[in-house]
């Protein structure tokens, strides 16, 4: 890491950008654009294994990502955080989903998609990752 690892920004500044400015700029295309932005972000910050993806989430302040299930064609992850930071009812989690999809696709070499499900009562997000072994990425 660089010298930036010990520097912080106020949560309020992050919230302004994430919860107010981006939705205003992106409008009805917010979820699609954020998903592709997450994929692009993953290419700029490549993670070579799942533990690095989990660490990235922590370092980025996105929350605590946990691998909860492994299947033959996918993974399930759980995202939790402080209720005031997660803002589950107000926020789209498509940037995180795109980030996970691209990282897993890069790791396993198969076309990969990721979907997010909000669980408001539990204050957590589930990311469902699926890949297609018939679609090899070269």
């Amino acid at each position: 890491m660089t010298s930036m690892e010990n520097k912080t920004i106020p949560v309020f500044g992050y919230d302004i950008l994430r919860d107010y400015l981006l939705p205003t700029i992106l409008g009805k295309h917010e979820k699609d654009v954020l998903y592709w932005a997450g994929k692009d972000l993953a290419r700029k910050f490549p993670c070579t294994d799942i533990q690095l993806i989990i660490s990235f989430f922590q370092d980025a302040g996105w929350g605590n990502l946990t691998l909860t299930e492994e299947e033959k064609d996918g993974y399930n992850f759980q995202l939790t955080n402080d209720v005031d930071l997660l803002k589950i009812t107000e926020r789209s989690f498509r940037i995180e989903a795109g980030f996970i999809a691209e990282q897993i696709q890069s790791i396993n070499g198969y076309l990969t998609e990721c979907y997010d499900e909000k669980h408001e009562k539990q204050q957590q997000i589930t990311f469902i990752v699926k890949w297609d072994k018939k679609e090899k990425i070269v």
Side-chain angles (χ1 to χ4, degrees):
M1 280 273 175
T2 65
S3 63
M4 289 188 59
E5 73 181 62
N6 293 326
K7 295 182 182 180
T8 61
I9 61 166
V11 173
F12 180 62
Y14 175 78
D15 287 349
I16 288 173
L17 294 173
R18 173 88 188 246
D19 301 331
Y20 300 100
L21 187 59
L22 283 177
T24 299
I25 291 170
L26 301 175
K28 67 181 182 177
H29 303 290
E30 176 188 9
K31 290 180 180 182
D32 293 332
V33 172
L34 288 179
Y35 186 80
W36 291 104
K39 290 176 79 66
D40 185 61
L41 190 61
R43 289 188 286 274
K44 290 180 171 104
F45 295 91
C47 299
T48 55
D49 60 40
I50 290 174
Q51 187 54 50
L52 287 174
I53 298 170
I54 291 168
S55 294
F56 183 92
F57 267 68
Q58 194 72 38
D59 292 345
W62 288 353
N64 303 311
L65 188 68
T66 306
L67 177 61
T68 57
E69 190 174 342
E70 292 185 53
E71 300 173 351
K72 64 179 180 164
D73 65 343
Y75 297 125
N76 287 352
F77 290 93
Q78 214 71 34
L79 179 66
T80 58
N81 205 349
D82 180 272
V83 174
D84 295 329
L85 297 174
L86 193 60
K87 295 191 171 194
I88 194 168
T89 59
E90 303 159 28
R91 184 171 285 168
S92 163
F93 292 88
R94 299 303 293 153
I95 195 165
E96 292 90 343
F99 184 86
I100 292 169
E102 186 67 23
Q103 295 292 5
I104 299 298
Q105 180 171 293
S106 179
I107 291 167
N108 71 20
Y110 298 108
L111 183 63
T112 303
E113 295 291 329
C114 180
Y115 306 93
D116 56 293
E117 293 180 353
K118 293 181 179 184
H119 305 283
E120 293 180 19
K121 287 184 180 180
Q122 295 87 5
Q123 287 295 305
Q124 61 188 16
I125 310 298
T126 299
F127 293 104
I128 301 145
V129 181
K130 295 290 182 188
W131 57 79
D132 185 351
K133 289 205 173 199
K134 297 177 202 162
E135 294 287 337
K136 185 82 173 151
I137 303 294
V138 281

